[in-house]
């Protein structure tokens, strides 16, 4: 009689040492590959660029690009999630804390950019995880619908459309941009949505 043995669960420490670990999140001891398209990655870069410039100018804190990893889920200490862009105020994160491994605290602002490969369930699960971890403001940017769903720590939410303004509210005070500005391809390049991507 033979006995099948299951692979041991992957740990957050394992994820840090894997050559391609930045492609994965860690949920329930299993690697979950992040599903990004070229267009959703580009939009994430636009969000990061605008936030980074604003926060540097106003000395507000840390703006992390796509792929920063967070281990901040109280009831699931082995869970690691990644964001497309995130902000942590300078008062909450010291350089020493930022230098080692996964970030051990929830970001103040979390940004998820929806890819065509993401399911509704996956996005909803991430929203629940981030808000339960203590995120104060979450933007779910959907390049296909050209809208941003905004979730707040007080439980309220709103939809911001392409021609409307997205605000950093009291989390990134003073930051404002039109949703459509996040969804512009480089000058002289056709819009990816027109090609069905």
């Amino acid at each position: 009689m033979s006995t099948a043995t299951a692979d041991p669960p992957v740990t957050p420490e394992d994820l840090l040492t894997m050559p391609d670990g930045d492609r994965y999140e860690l949920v329930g001891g299993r690697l979950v590959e992040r599903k990004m398209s070229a267009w959703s990655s580009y939009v994430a870069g636009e969000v990061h660029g605008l936030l980074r410039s604003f926060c540097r100018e106003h000395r507000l804190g840390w703006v992390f690009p796509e792929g920063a990893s967070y281990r901040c889920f109280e009831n699931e200490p082995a869970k690691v999630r990644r964001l497309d862009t995130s902000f942590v105020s300078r008062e909450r994160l010291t350089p020493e804390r930022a230098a080692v491994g996964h970030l051990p605290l929830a970001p103040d602002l979390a940004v998820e950019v929806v890819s065509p490969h993401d399911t509704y369930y996956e996005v909803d699960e991430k929203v629940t995880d981030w808000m339960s971890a203590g995120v104060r403001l979450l933007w779910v940017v959907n390049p296909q619908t050209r809208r941003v769903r905004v979730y707040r720590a007080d439980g309220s939410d709103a939809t911001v459309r392409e021609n409307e303004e997205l605000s950093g509210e009291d989390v990134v005070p003073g930051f404002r941009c039109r949703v459509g500005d996040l969804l512009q391809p480089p000058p002289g390049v056709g819009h990816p949505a027109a090609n069905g991507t």
Side-chain angles (χ1 to χ4, degrees):
M1 182 169 92
S2 63
T3 305
T5 57
D7 291 332
V10 178
T11 69
E13 292 72 24
D14 294 335
L15 195 60
L16 290 171
T17 60
M18 291 172 58
D20 58 350
D22 59 345
R23 293 176 42 214
Y24 297 95
E25 295 181 314
L26 188 59
V27 180
R30 292 183 309 105
L31 294 174
V32 178
E33 190 166 8
R34 300 178 70 235
K35 301 172 182 175
M36 293 295 286
S37 69
W39 177 232
S40 59
S41 289
Y42 181 85
V43 171
E46 292 296 286
V47 176
H48 175 261
L50 288 172
L51 275 170
R52 181 177 179 266
S53 295
F54 182 86
C55 290
R56 276 200 165 194
E57 180 183 350
H58 297 280
R59 301 170 64 89
L60 296 179
W62 304 77
V63 179
F64 294 98
E66 181 182 320
S69 60
Y70 287 86
R71 187 179 178 186
C72 59
F73 306 97
E74 187 178 351
N75 296 325
E76 296 180 84
K79 178 178 277 188
V80 176
R81 288 282 195 195
R82 298 184 187 274
L83 285 161
D84 298 312
T85 298
S86 52
F87 164 77
V88 182
S89 66
R90 60 189 174 91
E91 295 83 10
R92 295 184 59 231
L93 184 61
T94 63
E96 296 76 24
R97 249 180 132 186
V100 183
H102 308 294
L103 290 162
L105 74 175
D108 295 289
L109 168 66
V111 182
E112 290 276 5
V113 179
V114 178
S115 164
H117 310 292
D118 289 324
T119 66
Y120 176 85
Y121 171 79
E122 289 167 332
V123 174
D124 191 55
E125 185 179 42
K126 288 183 180 183
V127 167
T128 299
D129 282 348
W130 289 119
M131 300 315 293
S132 298
V135 166
R136 295 172 57 203
L137 186 65
L138 169 63
W139 298 341
V140 177
V141 182
N142 190 327
Q144 290 180 298
T145 64
R146 303 184 70 77
R147 295 178 180 176
V148 177
R149 191 77 182 161
V150 177
Y151 298 86
R152 305 180 185 94
D154 65 5
S156 65
D157 58 72
T159 298
V160 185
R161 290 168 177 78
E162 180 178 6
N163 61 346
E164 296 175 329
E165 211 169 44
L166 186 63
S167 166
E169 303 184 12
D170 62 343
V171 178
V172 187
F175 178 84
R176 305 184 82 79
C177 74
R178 199 176 66 88
V179 168
D181 293 342
L182 303 174
L183 305 169
Q184 293 300 316
V189 175
H191 199 284
N195 302 320
T197 56

